[in-house]
Amino acid sequence: MSRKVRAVVSTVDLRCCWFYGLSGSARKRLERHQEPEEFDDEAVSVADSAGTPSVNSFDSSDDDVDPGQEEIDDTRYRIDDFLEQTEHKSSKTREKGVEGLCVQFCKTYLPDVMECRKETLLSAVLRMLKRGSDAEKMGSCRLAGVLLIQLGASDDAEHYLEEVRPFLLSTLLDHTKSPSLRAECARVLALGSFILGAGVASSEEVVAKFEALLHSASGSSSDSLVSAVMSSWSLLLTCSDPHAIIPRASSLVGLFMKFLGSKEPATRVSAGEAIAVIYELAWQSDSDFYSADHDDIVERCKELATDHSHHRSKGERKDGRAKFRPIRLYLEEGIAPEEKMVLCKQQCLKLTDWSDIKTCEFMRDVLGSGLKEHLKENEFLREVFSLGSSLGMDCERSALSKEEKKRLHATMKTRRQMDRSGARDKRSAVF
């Protein structure tokens, strides 16, 4: 075999190794970045006759690749890249790596990836919680919450919470830390306690810490920490025993009543929702329960449900009225709110009480726009909302993808142009 033929065969074999080891999209990216090479026709014919697969054969195999599996492989490659960024020397690069991991795990339920990389992810979270900047710590707190939802009620989730719990508690009680970081710690502590069960001793300790922070805060506080603590406390209250609420219900309502006059819209809404959850659980045990300040609370909710104060912005007044109308209606007439979320053509999530609504809002704050995808496949969330087993591939997507929308708009545009040109008579003129 001549030197030219051996060089061509070795090049083709090298391409075979690269192509077999990469996914479909990665192979396409490699082809775009490769420079075109000139081959001798005789040498290529010899290589093909020797049984070596040609490049065209790999191009034809891309059509047989499962799009779903290809997308999962690309997600794994992105997660590996983001994990490498979390170990970079630059703080900005580490922040981007944490944010990228949050995005990937928020938008998709990935149990297989968690099983393979759970220890690596945990070590990355702990490293940034202990030695990272405030931005890295906030990102790692968000990532810890998302990973807990990915793991669900399992031993791995309990192990995760045990590892990060000491840092979260110490940061939550440290008044020198930023309120935003303390708020993220409160959310992760509440989420972990909710997933593993609110009846254990560690969860009761978290509830006691939350109540101590609320007692020490003033009613006019505009700190984001107060809103996050009230929202986290309400989440843990949803899985509590209704009979255990009755002895403390009046004092708890009085505690949250002072926050209805806060200047911060999120604080007022969190206080109103917490009061609604307290009444809901108390009425399950005693239908005649009313706090001593019930009339004052109803009157205050009426004012917020019909707020027209000009010192607040128009959008703030509109959002506040929309939030407090169902709260006032529930406290005054006992009519529970109803919300609906369409997951796909086969299933719809209906929320008919304050406990489910509060739980869904908390999960939406953690997962963002990926909540719907998790509700389709995440076994833990489907168990929380009584949705049954995972739908899997049977659940069709209700929305079109970006490429499908482009093709649809192009087709509609062409049809409109043809209809208009056919209806237009260019040979006649009107004077």
Side-chain angles (χ1 to χ4, degrees), residues 183 187 214 218-232 234 256 258-275 300 304 307 312-313 315-317 319-321 323-324 327 358 361 365:
R187 292 189 184 96
L214 293 175
S218 61
S220 60
S221 176
S222 59
D223 195 358
S224 60
L225 174 63
V226 178
S227 175
V229 170
M230 283 193 291
S231 179
S232 303
S234 301
F256 289 103
K258 66 179 183 179
F259 294 105
L260 292 176
S262 173
K263 297 179 181 180
E264 185 69 25
T267 303
R268 296 194 300 268
V269 171
S270 297
E273 291 177 346
I275 293 174
R300 180 57 182 160
L304 294 173
D307 184 19
R312 297 191 181 102
S313 65
E316 180 181 335
R317 296 197 305 269
D319 294 340
R321 291 194 297 266
K323 291 289 186 180
F324 274 96
I327 296 175
K358 191 61 187 176
E361 288 181 355
D365 292 339

Side-chain angles (χ1 to χ4, degrees), residues 160-181:
Y160 262 57
L161 188 60
E162 289 178 356
E163 292 292 334
V164 300
R165 176 187 171 85
F167 171 82
L168 297 176
L169 278 176
S170 60
T171 305
L172 176 65
L173 302 177
D174 190 354
H175 296 279
T176 61
K177 300 295 183 180
S178 64
S180 301
L181 177 58

Side-chain angles (χ1 to χ4, degrees), residues 389-401:
S389 59
S390 175
L391 296 177
M393 298 301 295
D394 297 333
C395 187
E396 300 177 1
R397 292 183 178 180
S398 58
L400 298 175
S401 64

